[in-house]
């Protein structure tokens, strides 16, 4: 455990990973609860949402696992970052579809997920921007 009070803690360099994992957990829980998504909608709407958030986490993990040492690796890392950002926009569209299609889904029940998704999108954009300003030693 950290000895720093929670109110004094700042963001870590890998906050985008921590946030993505929390988003993945929250969306998975939400999409598997009968209270929010009845069984008749799970296969058509719930499963694609879970698959998309899993893809988001995978793209973030892939991008973060690459420490670029040449231009090919720089481009590959950037490609995964762009895919992760696209996944966030796709998730936004899925959530809008979910809210409009399923009567038991309300914006208030999605508040935490929407907040996490907005934060994740901003974190990923900042990460990509910081990578573009970073000087890598290329061979």
């Amino acid at each position: 455990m950290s000895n720093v009070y929670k109110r004094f803690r700042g963001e870590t360099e890998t906050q985008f990973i921590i946030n993505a994992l929390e988003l993945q957990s929250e969306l998975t829980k939400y999409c598997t609860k009968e209270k929010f998504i009845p069984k008749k909608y799970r296969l058509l709407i719930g499963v694609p949402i879970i698959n998309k958030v899993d893809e988001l986490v995978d793209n973030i993990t892939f991008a973060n696992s690459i420490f670029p040492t040449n231009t090919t690796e720089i481009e590959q890392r950037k490609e995964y970052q762009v895919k992760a950002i696209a996944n966030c926009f796709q998730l936004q569209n899925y959530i809008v579809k979910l809210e409009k299609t399923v009567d038991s889904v309300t914006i208030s029940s999605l508040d935490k997920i929407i907040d996490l998704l907005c934060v994740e999108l901003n974190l990923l954009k900042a990460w990509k921007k910081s990578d573009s300003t970073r000087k890598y030693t290329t061979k």
Side-chain angles (χ1 to χ4, degrees):
M1 275 315 254
S2 174
N3 289 332
V4 179
Y5 289 115
K6 191 171 185 176
R7 68 178 180 262
F8 295 127
R9 291 182 200 157
E11 284 187 356
T12 66
E13 286 184 25
T14 57
Q15 188 64 39
F16 54 89
I17 295 172
I18 295 165
N19 194 70
L21 291 172
E22 187 175 353
L23 177 63
Q24 182 183 39
S25 173
E26 289 298 320
L27 266 173
T28 302
K29 284 186 226 172
Y30 191 90
C31 289
T32 56
K33 283 189 181 172
E34 181 73 26
K35 174 183 175 185
F36 298 119
I37 303 179
K39 286 182 183 178
K40 68 180 181 179
Y41 291 112
R42 280 197 205 141
L43 190 59
L44 295 172
I45 299 174
V47 172
I49 290 173
I50 293 170
N51 289 340
K52 192 55 67 178
V53 77
D54 290 345
E55 185 180 326
L56 167 69
V57 171
D58 288 344
N59 285 326
I60 291 169
T61 303
F62 294 151
N64 195 51
S65 69
I66 299 170
F67 184 76
T69 57
N70 57 47
T71 53
T72 305
E73 290 174 344
I74 291 170
E75 289 304 313
Q76 191 177 25
R77 180 174 165 123
K78 183 178 176 182
E79 181 183 328
Y80 283 118
Q81 288 171 330
V82 169
K83 285 180 180 180
I85 291 169
N87 291 146
C88 286
F89 287 114
Q90 291 166 330
L91 277 169
Q92 285 178 348
N93 291 335
Y94 281 138
I95 289 171
V96 168
K97 176 184 173 182
L98 177 68
E99 194 273 328
K100 291 189 178 295
T101 307
V102 182
D103 294 333
S104 57
V105 174
T106 62
I107 294 294
S108 61
S109 69
L110 288 166
D111 272 347
K112 185 174 182 179
I113 291 169
I114 292 169
D115 289 344
L116 285 169
L117 188 55
C118 291
V119 168
E120 185 64 24
L121 186 58
N122 290 331
L123 289 170
L124 289 173
K125 286 179 178 179
W127 178 38
K128 184 175 172 266
K129 185 176 181 180
S130 75
D131 266 11
S132 66
T133 60
R134 183 176 292 142
K135 303 290 186 239
Y136 293 104
T137 56
T138 56
K139 296 178 184 177

